[in-house]
């Protein structure tokens, strides 16, 4: 198996691990800013151990940009997940492919093809279906904050991809440090229960720390748009896990939208291999 194939599989594995975050956040009974702060402390320590001796903090603009984008992603996602449904929070975050498609030609000099635009349109169309279900007025601020997650996610992906010739993990650690500093003032008003501490440990070490080590390796071997389209597996499995483990059931349009997105991602992944097979000599 070549590095490109491994990168696709590891990026998909990362998406599945990240998808468990919605359920874990719902089950942790604590202030959302405190949750994201403690999670980031644990994640930063985990990554520092995994990459010890290999970290080089150059503080370049793209490294700092990725850190700020990631901190924004972490904070807005946790707050939005607490204020609105997990499905709404994660799916609004996945408006990011639109921003990536618009900015990648200018920022990374990576061309957005006509077929990519078609798949983006289908993917976004599938996500829109989630919002045909009745939305709770109390979740309005959560939905607005989740839009910020999408913008932050796009900035993070573009700046991470811009570091493809170097190690991008430093940006992730810096993002976690920024997030921990933002969450610090909220950590001491109350203390979480023992069960919540278990959830926090999982969120920090596994859902963020180990999964991000996989992401850092894979993103260097994939295009920015390709990476973010693979990661659309996350918003599909996130609501399913929350429904099973927390009882928060998506509406019928959300289910239809999920099928559309899964189909789009699958076709987007299979077509390049089909073209290679068709053009292979002797096929």
């Amino acid at each position: 198996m070549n590095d490109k194939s491994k990168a696709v599989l590891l990026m998909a594995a990362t998406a599945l691990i990240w998808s468990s975050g919605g359920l874990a956040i719902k089950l942790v009974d604590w202030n959302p800013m405190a949750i994201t702060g403690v999670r980031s402390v644990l994640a930063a320590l985990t990554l520092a151990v995994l990459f010890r001796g290999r970290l080089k903090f150059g503080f370049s603009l793209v490294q700092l940009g990725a850190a700020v984008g990631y901190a924004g992603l972490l904070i807005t996602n946790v707050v939005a997940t607490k204020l609105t449904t997990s499905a709404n929070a994660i799916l609004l975050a996945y408006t990011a492919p639109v921003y990536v498609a618009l900015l990648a030609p200018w920022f990374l000099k990576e061309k957005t093809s006509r077929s990519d635009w078609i798949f983006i349109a289908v993917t976004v169309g599938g996500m829109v279906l989630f919002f045909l279900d009745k939305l709770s007025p109390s979740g309005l601020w959560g939905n607005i904050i989740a839009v910020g997650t999408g913008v932050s996610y796009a900035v993070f992906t573009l700046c991470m991809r811009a570091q493809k010739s170097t190690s991008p993990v430093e940006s992730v650690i810096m993002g976690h440090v920024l997030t921990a500093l933002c969450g610090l003032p909220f950590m001491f008003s109350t203390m979480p229960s023992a069960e919540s501490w278990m959830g926090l440990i999982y969120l920090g070490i596994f859902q963020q720390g180990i999964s991000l080590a996989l992401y850092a390796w894979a993103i260097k071997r994939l295009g920015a748009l390709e990476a973010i389209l693979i990661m659309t597996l996350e918003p599909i499995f996130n609501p399913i896990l929350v429904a099973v483990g927390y009882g928060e059931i998506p509406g019928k349009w959300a289910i239809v939208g999920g099928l559309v997105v899964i189909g789009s991602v699958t076709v987007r992944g299979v077509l390049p291999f089909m073209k290679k097979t068709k053009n292979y000599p002797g096929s």
Side-chain angles (χ1 to χ4, degrees):
M1 183 182 294
N2 58 32
D3 279 358
K4 181 64 176 292
S5 298
K6 290 178 183 177
V8 171
L9 291 176
L10 289 178
M11 190 63 74
T14 301
L16 295 177
I17 296 171
W18 283 7
S19 71
S20 66
L23 174 59
I25 291 168
K26 290 286 187 183
L27 294 176
V28 174
D29 185 17
W30 206 19
N31 182 289
M33 287 300 297
I35 292 173
T36 194
V38 169
R39 179 176 72 167
S40 285
V41 169
L42 295 172
L45 291 173
T46 300
L47 289 168
V49 170
L50 290 174
F51 290 90
R52 62 188 181 278
R54 289 178 283 169
L55 298 175
K56 295 180 181 179
F57 294 93
F59 299 100
S60 65
L61 287 178
V62 290
Q63 192 176 81
L64 292 171
V68 172
Y70 196 62
L73 187 162
L74 292 170
I75 293 169
T76 57
N77 180 251
V78 172
V79 174
T81 299
K82 283 294 189 181
L83 293 179
T84 187
T85 66
S86 183
N88 286 1
I90 196 65
L91 285 159
L92 277 170
Y94 274 82
T95 56
V98 176
Y99 312 128
V100 169
L102 290 171
L103 295 175
W106 166 75
F107 189 74
L108 298 176
K109 311 302 181 187
E110 291 182 0
K111 184 179 179 181
T112 300
S113 68
R114 183 179 299 177
S115 61
D116 282 331
W117 279 110
I118 294 172
F119 288 115
I120 289 169
V122 174
T123 300
V124 173
M127 291 179 180
V128 168
L129 293 177
F130 281 79
F131 304 104
L132 294 182
D133 293 315
K134 186 177 180 181
L135 296 176
S136 170
S138 63
L140 176 61
W141 275 109
N143 291 345
I144 293 172
I145 291 170
V147 172
T149 309
V151 176
S152 298
Y153 192 7
V155 171
F156 171 64
T157 300
L158 288 166
C159 290
M160 286 287 277
R161 176 60 180 166
Q163 301 177 71
K164 61 183 179 181
S165 59
T166 59
S167 170
V169 73
E170 290 84 359
S171 291
V172 172
I173 294 175
M174 291 165 62
H176 277 300
V177 171
L178 288 174
T179 303
L181 290 174
C182 291
L184 186 63
F186 302 89
M187 294 180 191
F188 305 105
S189 57
T190 59
M191 286 291 105
S193 64
E195 291 81 3
S196 291
W197 270 114
M198 291 177 63
L200 288 167
I201 290 170
Y202 169 76
L203 283 167
I205 295 176
F206 295 97
Q207 196 263 339
Q208 283 295 307
I210 293 175
S211 68
L212 279 162
L214 301 179
Y215 182 92
W217 188 90
I219 192 66
K220 293 171 65 176
R221 295 159 176 84
L222 296 172
L225 190 58
E226 186 176 26
I228 209 164
L229 285 172
I230 293 172
M231 290 303 291
T232 54
L233 290 171
E234 181 189 1
I236 304 306
F237 287 94
N238 181 302
I240 293 173
L241 292 175
V242 172
V244 173
Y246 191 72
E248 188 179 84
I249 308 297
K252 62 180 182 180
W253 284 112
I255 295 172
V256 175
L259 293 174
V260 171
V261 174
I262 289 175
S264 176
V265 172
T266 302
V267 172
R268 172 63 173 75
V270 169
L271 273 183
F273 294 102
M274 291 178 64
K275 290 179 179 178
K276 286 182 180 179
T277 301
K278 183 178 180 180
N279 295 328
Y280 187 79
S283 63

